[in-house]
Amino acid sequence: MGQTRHVYQEDKTVWATVKPVKSTEVNFVGKLTPDVTHRFYVRYRTDITADMRLRYGNHIFDIAGPPFDVNDAHELLEIQGEEVFEQERYA
């Protein structure tokens, strides 16, 4: 009720190395839901921002903070992502 629903569209496709970093479960509306954090490594680029989402296979990730230029070398970008679990999946 009165909530804003964000609609995302596919924008870019890039190769990435994906590494799971942490896997825990959190209490969400009285139910345990997974909280998984991953790191994505892509070639350096300036058009990826923290308000975007990442899709890896069937998994969706929110970008947690601004992408990080590894070693300030403009060669590799590290993106920290947190997997999105829609509430309907845990109803």
Side-chain angles (χ1 to χ4, degrees):
M1 299 185 125
Q3 295 179 355
T4 303
R5 183 171 179 98
H6 296 281
V7 177
Y8 294 92
Q9 66 184 27
E10 196 167 311
D11 187 26
K12 301 163 182 42
T13 301
V14 298
W15 288 97
T17 298
V18 181
K19 296 184 177 183
V21 179
K22 175 180 80 167
S23 179
T24 60
E25 289 184 336
V26 294
N27 189 339
F28 180 73
V29 191
K31 299 183 181 196
L32 289 179
T33 59
D35 172 28
V36 180
T37 303
H38 291 69
R39 287 192 181 131
F40 298 81
Y41 295 93
V42 299
R43 286 186 182 180
Y44 180 81
R45 50 191 307 145
T46 59
D47 58 348
I48 297 176
T49 61
D51 62 341
M52 297 177 169
R53 279 187 165 180
L54 305 172
R55 181 172 57 86
Y56 180 67
N58 293 326
H59 301 272
I60 303 294
F61 298 87
D62 280 332
I63 297 177
F68 174 71
D69 180 7
V70 177
N71 297 326
D72 290 322
H74 296 336
E75 294 176 359
L76 190 64
L77 200 63
E78 178 183 298
I79 304 167
Q80 295 189 10
E82 187 170 308
E83 190 163 1
V84 175
F85 295 95
E86 302 298 335
Q87 182 176 355
E88 300 87 45
R89 290 178 58 181
Y90 298 96

